Amino acid sequence: MAPAVSARGRKAQKVTKKFTINASQPVSDKIFDLSAFEKFLHDRIKVEGRVGNLGDKIVISQAAEGKLEVVAHIPFSGRYLKYLTKKYLKKQQLRDWIRVVSTSKGVYELRFYNVASEEADEEEE
């Protein structure tokens, strides 16, 4: 495949973005299956409008304990990754307990809702 050429005849820059999803907290509590989530992303991420078209453009791998790494060599949105994560949580009926928070650029973390402090507030009233 020939490299992409822009309108002025120059080669287009190759875009590489790295995203990390940190799910170590739910994984350590054994309520979140990281390998099933990785398969879900493999099956659902769309490339050029088609599902199952990842090829070597998007690489999904488990980085560390409870961390998933997505490396995209094409323009790719972090919001799309967050959307798919929320969709997976809804499918697994975990959306009521876990939320997706962006801690820094390209890093998303799965956190439990802070239920303990809300219960303490209700008891004080």
Side-chain angles (χ1 to χ4, degrees):
M1 193 167 114
V5 180
S6 67
R8 293 190 175 185
R10 287 184 259 150
K11 288 184 182 176
Q13 287 183 328
K14 196 167 190 179
V15 181
T16 301
K17 287 187 177 179
K18 183 175 163 185
F19 299 96
T20 306
I21 300 173
N22 184 359
S24 54
Q25 198 176 10
V27 167
S28 65
D29 290 347
K30 294 182 175 62
I31 64 165
F32 190 83
D33 186 7
L34 199 62
S35 56
F37 178 56
E38 182 181 3
K39 184 182 181 330
F40 176 84
L41 289 179
H42 269 287
D43 296 343
R44 295 291 177 99
I45 290 180
K46 284 186 179 180
V47 176
E48 296 169 4
R50 293 175 43 212
V51 174
N53 191 20
L54 294 182
D56 58 348
K57 296 174 185 162
I58 296 181
V59 180
I60 304 170
S61 60
Q62 292 188 25
E65 184 65 37
K67 289 188 179 180
L68 203 63
E69 201 170 81
V70 179
V71 180
H73 300 293
I74 57 173
F76 190 76
S77 169
R79 295 290 282 161
Y80 181 55
L81 204 56
K82 185 174 180 177
Y83 162 77
L84 287 174
T85 305
K86 286 177 164 183
K87 197 171 179 120
Y88 178 78
L89 290 173
K90 181 76 171 172
K91 185 179 173 192
Q92 300 297 318
Q93 298 173 341
L94 295 171
R95 190 83 176 86
D96 295 335
W97 294 281
I98 300 174
R99 62 187 180 145
V100 185
V101 179
S102 176
T103 53
S104 63
K105 187 170 181 157
V107 179
Y108 294 93
E109 189 175 332
L110 300 184
R111 292 185 181 167
F112 290 106
Y113 283 109
N114 200 354
V115 180
S117 66
E118 291 174 11
E119 289 174 358
D121 292 341
E122 290 174 9
E123 289 173 9
E124 290 174 4
E125 292 176 4

